[in-house]
């Protein structure tokens, strides 16, 4: 006995395949965050290392999330530095999730800090503010 495939069966199969592909793409994109770091007042970002990581203030046990943090070199000539960060699956539902950036000199001295709330599908924009001691 040979199964018969009519137009309706074929159409339903194509639609279900399309839905699965779109759902998979959306799921993969929601974990990747794009963003940019600028310096207060639109000034040039000072020379140093920028450490960018995820933080959840509501999570008292572990504020820094995941093992992923990135370090970007600032040459002291750019007004904006772009980055890409992948958030852990466990953090996707937290409304208090934020991306934090620290600018440090070569000797480890903190020069500036900034953070921004994470919103699904929206690029993160962090402004570094000078740290006063």
């Amino acid at each position: 006995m040979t199964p018969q495939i009519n137009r309706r069966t074929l159409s339903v199969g194509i639609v279900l395949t399309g839905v699965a592909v779109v759902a998979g793409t959306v799921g993969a994109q929601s974990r990747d965050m794009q963003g940019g770091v600028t310096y207060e007042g639109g000034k040039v970002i000072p020379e140093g290392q920028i450490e960018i990581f995820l933080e959840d203030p509501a999570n008292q046990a572990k504020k820094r999330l995941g093992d992923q943090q990135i370090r970007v070199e600032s040459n002291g000539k750019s007004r904006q530095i772009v980055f890409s960060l992948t958030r852990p699956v466990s953090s996707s539902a937290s409304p208090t999730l934020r991306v934090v950036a620290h600018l440090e000199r070569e000797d480890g001295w903190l020069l500036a800090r900034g953070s921004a709330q994470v919103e699904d599908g929206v690029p993160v924009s962090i402004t570094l503010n000078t740290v006063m001691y």
Side-chain angles (χ1 to χ4, degrees):
M1 181 170 184
T2 306
Q4 290 188 346
I5 298 177
N6 59 25
R7 285 186 180 171
R8 182 174 180 209
T9 305
L10 186 59
S11 296
V12 169
I14 291 172
V15 168
L16 290 176
T17 301
V19 169
V21 168
V22 170
T25 303
V26 169
Q29 289 176 347
S30 66
R31 291 194 57 219
D32 293 334
M33 292 181 289
Q34 306 298 319
V37 177
T38 57
Y39 199 70
E40 62 185 346
K43 298 176 191 169
V44 172
I45 300 171
E47 189 174 346
Q49 285 273 350
I50 301 174
E51 179 184 16
I52 303 169
F53 57 92
L54 289 169
E55 181 178 84
D56 189 353
N59 186 348
Q60 295 299 320
K62 187 177 180 187
K63 288 191 181 211
R64 270 196 191 197
L65 298 178
D67 296 332
Q68 185 179 17
Q69 65 181 12
I70 57 173
R71 290 180 97 48
V72 181
E73 192 75 32
S74 172
N75 60 8
K77 298 176 184 175
S78 301
R79 293 192 186 277
Q80 181 179 31
I81 295 176
V82 295
F83 65 89
S84 179
L85 190 66
T86 302
R87 67 174 148 181
V89 177
S90 61
S91 68
S92 61
S94 176
T96 58
L97 184 65
R98 62 184 177 189
V99 179
V100 178
H102 290 171
L103 173 62
E104 299 174 353
R105 288 191 320 204
E106 190 176 304
D107 62 4
W109 193 262
L110 182 65
L111 297 175
R113 181 186 193 283
S115 65
Q117 205 70 29
V118 173
E119 296 179 39
D120 286 336
V122 178
V124 178
S125 179
I126 301 172
T127 301
L128 293 171
N129 296 297
T130 304
V131 176
M132 299 290 202
Y133 288 103

